[in-house]
Amino acid sequence: MARRQRLSPSVLVAVGLIALAAYGLAHSVSLTTILVFVVVVPSIILHEISHGVVALACGDDTAKRAGRLTLNPLAHVDPIGTVVMPAVLALSGLGAFGYAKPVPINPRRMRHPRNDSLLVSLAGPACNLVLAGVSIVLLRADGRAPLVHEALQFGYIGALSAGLQVLFLLGFLNVSLAVFNLLPLPPLDGSAVIERLLPASAWPTWLKVRTYAMPALLILVLLNPHHFLNHIFDPAQRAWARVLVA
């Protein structure tokens, strides 16, 4: 039987970017929409790399041996989660959400498996919070933090320069990614807190829940019933904006 040939990530990424460009030529795509995509993809990739870096610090070199501690985006790209989904959501005005290929982790190689696994999981949201903090530092150092805060309050972010929009999105999107990933729902990073506290007797049920969790989560994000994502993102985004001009 002939072996099926799989497309490489680089080919799939190229196809996704060509499709995005084609959409942009056929429709009116704002600069802000493009910048959302440009900012969110590296943020997702850095989130994933941070898991591997902390795992290595805890004694697990699985991600390093798999070549996943590199900044080369092709090593981390999931064609759907890293290219297609963020592009579609950005173009449709539904925000920005995506994921990269999970970094391989082996808790049995860690010095303290249960506690270290929790640290590895929380490293991703921590990375996003650091990036959000970097945006504040850069905007305040530039002296235009009040301008960005005013633009946010009155809804004219799109009128800012591309550079200021990038710094704004770096903060706004990363604080959103952080709080979203901290939700205690599998396969999000916050579910590691639940796993750490679960008694052994509950694990069979939890493993069954995890089997169906990812499709359910994707449907929940795409449908966004009762705008539940707004109740998650809005408080975090307001907190970022307050710190920006504190």
Side-chain angles (χ1 to χ4, degrees):
M1 181 182 291
R3 188 177 180 180
R4 292 183 63 182
Q5 188 175 16
R6 297 180 64 187
L7 292 176
S8 68
S10 58
V11 172
L12 292 167
V13 172
V15 170
L17 293 177
I18 290 170
L20 179 61
Y23 184 99
L25 292 173
H27 301 76
S28 177
V29 179
S30 69
L31 173 63
T32 302
T33 297
I34 296 171
L35 293 178
V36 166
F37 183 75
V38 168
V39 171
V40 78
V41 171
S43 298
I44 292 168
I45 290 173
L46 288 173
H47 171 110
E48 205 60 44
I49 292 173
S50 68
H51 289 308
V53 170
V54 173
L56 181 62
C58 293
D60 174 24
D61 64 348
T62 305
K64 180 180 180 181
R65 289 186 288 107
R68 295 296 305 281
L69 299 188
T70 175
L71 291 176
N72 179 0
L74 295 182
H76 308 282
V77 163
D78 178 283
I80 299 299
T82 319
V83 178
V84 177
M85 180 177 288
V88 169
L89 291 175
L91 290 169
S92 62
L94 295 177
F97 172 79
Y99 54 90
K101 285 193 301 184
V103 165
I105 301 296
N106 185 354
R108 288 177 294 182
R109 301 178 67 91
M110 298 176 187
R111 288 183 287 273
H112 308 285
R114 292 195 70 188
N115 292 331
D116 290 348
S117 294
L118 178 59
L119 292 177
V120 169
S121 295
L122 296 180
C127 173
N128 293 127
L129 289 176
V130 168
L131 292 173
V134 167
S135 72
I136 291 175
V137 170
L138 293 177
L139 283 168
R140 295 182 69 158
D142 185 66
R144 287 185 285 183
L147 175 62
V148 172
H149 187 266
E150 181 182 322
L152 176 60
Q153 281 187 311
F154 294 100
Y156 61 88
I157 287 294
L160 298 173
S161 67
L164 284 180
Q165 286 191 58
V166 166
L167 291 178
F168 162 75
L169 291 170
L170 182 66
F172 222 59
L173 294 178
N174 272 284
V175 77
S176 301
L177 287 170
V179 296
F180 181 77
N181 277 284
L182 284 172
L183 291 176
L185 304 171
L188 299 178
D189 298 322
S191 65
V193 178
I194 303 297
E195 293 181 1
R196 179 65 180 84
L197 299 175
L198 274 180
S201 59
W203 265 95
T205 302
W206 181 255
L207 292 177
K208 291 179 182 178
V209 170
R210 289 202 317 190
T211 303
Y212 304 101
M214 187 61 176
L217 182 64
L218 291 178
I219 292 171
L220 195 62
V221 168
L222 292 174
L223 296 180
N224 193 20
H226 303 292
H227 304 286
F228 91 100
L229 288 176
N230 293 0
H231 299 298
I232 297 169
F233 296 148
D234 286 353
Q237 291 167 347
R238 287 196 297 269
W240 177 86
R242 285 195 298 270
V243 175
L244 180 64
V245 292

